[in-house]
Amino acid sequence: MSDDKTKPGTDASTMWGGRFSGGPDAVMEAINASIDFDKRLYRQDIAASQAHARMLAAQGIIADEDSNAIIAGLDAVKAEIEAGEFAFSRALEDIHMNVEARLAELIGEPAGRLHTGRSRNDQVATDFKLWVRDALDALDSDMQGLQAALIDVAEAHADAIMPGFTHLQSAQPVTLGHHLLAYTEMLGRDRGRARDCRERLNESPLGAAALAGTSFSLDRHMTADELGFSGPAANSMDAVADRDFALEFLSFASILSVHLSRLAEEYVIWCSQQFAYVRLGDAFSTGSSIMPQKRNPDAAELVRAKAGRVIGALNGLMIVMKGLPMTYGKDMQEDKEPVFEVHDTLKLSLAAMTGMLRDSTFQRDRMAADAGRGFATATDLADWLVRVLGMPFRQAHHVTGALVKIAEDQNCDLADLALSDMQAVESGITEDIYSVLSVESALAGRTSFGGAAPGNVAEAAVEARKRFLDGA
Ligand code: ARG
């Protein structure tokens, strides 16, 4: 530890320790240091410091030469970090002080002028917002990549008949394309939530200083502009106390992880021998060490499970933030790890789901055979009674139920019932009813907007491509 407390040095207390005579206990340092994880903020920290230095000079608060030296020195620090040559120090607590201390080593006295009118409180809020903003942009392109895979597969299987389920019971026939386009929509909303979060977070905390603003004539608009913010945050206390953006990021992330988990669960089901709707290639299958016949969808199971981590992270940070009085509290240092971890988890989950989709061979015959099971055209039968005989739907439902029971007793499909058996239940039924009892005809009839008819689905895939992929 440096003895000269008037100069920036090699431990944190030289940054703030003018009134301290001893250094921190090892345990104090261990609990206090965030450098092991917040070094991920280095790029944002340096960009924000450079903007601050430029503004200080433009406002005549520091000399141009000092500002230039600071900016060039920070570029050198960045180059060292990126070359893996930077020695991060726990004694210097966090990324802010690690960078500033190294800057002081490189350029000397002017480095000490950088922190004018600024605090680590507005600094960390600024850096972290910039990081979350970048993360949202990166995840947007990963989500779009998954949408592209979903749309490609949906287009190829726009007409692949499969059972649609409610309660995981065969309900009505749909197509695989329709099923996958449902996920494309969910991801579209996830991307919308990410955009909303980005938009709302995009106010600059920089210049709020510790909490109350500063007596220096900072130009907060200038730094906000340079960093791509829409403007400075209006209230200096809110600026340093706000972690809504992290909570919103984790909320968006939680809903996304739920969607990924649902799709992953479909894969687990579809890969089972009982369903066998999909076969994953070797690239996305794993074997068992004891059962040679096994091909396990481990990636899908892991994506399904990872939602637990993501939702846990949201819960965790909600609990950290609740009840914190204005403004900054060190509690808030606990905001970064969950956000970083969730970002990494989602990136991997999105890549895994995209990879699995592209590595899938769908067993169209199996799905089509299943689609006819479980009286999946019963609704079409009821609709026929309404359309042709003018029967109220409730009554048609009842009549259809009686016909299903007969089919069940005879152990046959609705399409195999004798006309006379049907007429015994409802005398108005004619031969024409068979035209809606096959799965193909039932499906072809689902032409309402957003419906499952293969023609609709093919068009919907084209539309989805336009909405989500083109020119985005
Ligand atoms: N490492 C700290 C964090 O992440 C930076 C802000 C520290 N501010 C302070 N007043 N101690 O929250």
Side-chain angles (χ1 to χ4, degrees), residues 384-399:
W384 185 92
L385 297 171
V386 170
R387 203 170 45 245
V388 180
L389 304 186
M391 202 178 270
F393 182 77
R394 283 288 162 228
Q395 190 190 338
H397 185 283
H398 204 76
V399 170

Side-chain angles (χ1 to χ4, degrees), residues 261-274:
S261 183
R262 291 180 75 170
L263 180 56
E265 168 70 358
E266 309 257 29
Y267 257 82
V268 172
I269 293 171
W270 293 348
C271 285
S272 69
Q273 260 94 46
Q274 288 68 21

Side-chain angles (χ1 to χ4, degrees), residues 34 38 94 96 120-121 124 328 330 333 336:
S34 53
D38 70 14
D94 56 24
H96 323 295
R120 272 190 295 159
N121 297 350
V124 72
Y328 176 84
K330 195 67 176 240
Q333 180 166 287
K336 285 165 214 71

Side-chain angles (χ1 to χ4, degrees), residues 320-375:
V320 168
M321 294 306 297
K322 71 148 220 45
L324 278 190
M326 287 283 109
T327 49
Y328 176 84
K330 195 67 176 240
D331 314 52
M332 286 155 72
Q333 180 166 287
E334 293 288 313
D335 57 1
K336 285 165 214 71
E337 285 161 293
V339 168
F340 293 157
E341 194 201 334
V342 161
H343 164 267
D344 297 347
T345 298
L346 285 178
K347 235 184 143 42
L348 191 55
S349 294
L350 285 162
M353 278 320 312
T354 306
M356 272 187 276
L357 263 163
R358 296 212 178 274
D359 192 42
S360 295
T361 309
F362 287 94
Q363 311 295 317
R364 294 171 58 120
D365 294 347
R366 279 273 324 156
M367 296 191 294
D370 258 10
R373 276 191 242 285
F375 312 111

